[in-house]
Amino acid sequence: QGVSYEDRQKYLRSGVIHIFAISGLHVGMLAMTIFLLLRWLPFRMRYFTAPLFLAFYTLSTGMQASAVRALLMIGGWSLMRGFLHRTSALNVVFLAASIILLSAPLSVMGAGFQYSFTIAAFLVLSWRSVESWQALIRERRMWVPNENIGLRSILASKTIDRVFNAMATTLVAWLAGTALTLLYRSYFIPGAALTNLLVVPIVWLLFAVGAIQVVFLPFQFFFSLTPIMRWLLL
């Protein structure tokens, strides 16, 4: 909402229209934040509590279909860990899809359903391969004794790992959704993986600024962070 037709087309062609939808991206970002804030809780309590916050967020944002799908996937995974039950992440994806299809069978015909579960499944299936490639990148560093590794090397190593993981994730997501984008939008966006990689930090800033604005909502008569959010979107 609030996006002109011309701007919507620009975001569609760049492959980053999803930043406007309350979707798995935002629910996942919130989940990461919640787990970080709840680190002080015992292990099981942490994983039982996090889905409650995610459910409140999903409910307060209008129970968007994409957010509900993400809630079911992340919530199911959290509950499995909370009950100390080992299962594959792919089983959790299929469980979420089954719950939705049992309640609304025709959802399988929706583009959002197909995007969400196709991309989620491919991301899960690619984890082992991504980890294998990361191990190859780290192999040379593994031969260096710990006492010879300085703080600078540790920070550089962590940065390389994070950047590689982000690049691999965006590439897999783009490849998994390319056929659906061609089918439903008639767009082929080869630069979408790189664009999304560059947009993620901006989305995190938007998320942080939006959270601060919500917290200080009663004081918006005196100041507002909306201009900052508009500037980030431009």
Side-chain angles (χ1 to χ4, degrees), residues 142-154:
M142 292 174 62
W143 293 94
V144 180
N146 291 334
E147 57 270 17
N148 294 337
I149 301 177
L151 178 60
R152 183 176 179 181
S153 297
I154 293 174

Side-chain angles (χ1 to χ4, degrees), residues 110-130:
F113 180 94
Q114 295 171 19
Y115 266 109
S116 293
F117 288 105
T118 299
I119 292 176
F122 272 96
L123 286 174
V124 171
L125 290 169
S126 69
W127 280 348
R128 288 180 180 248
S129 296
V130 172

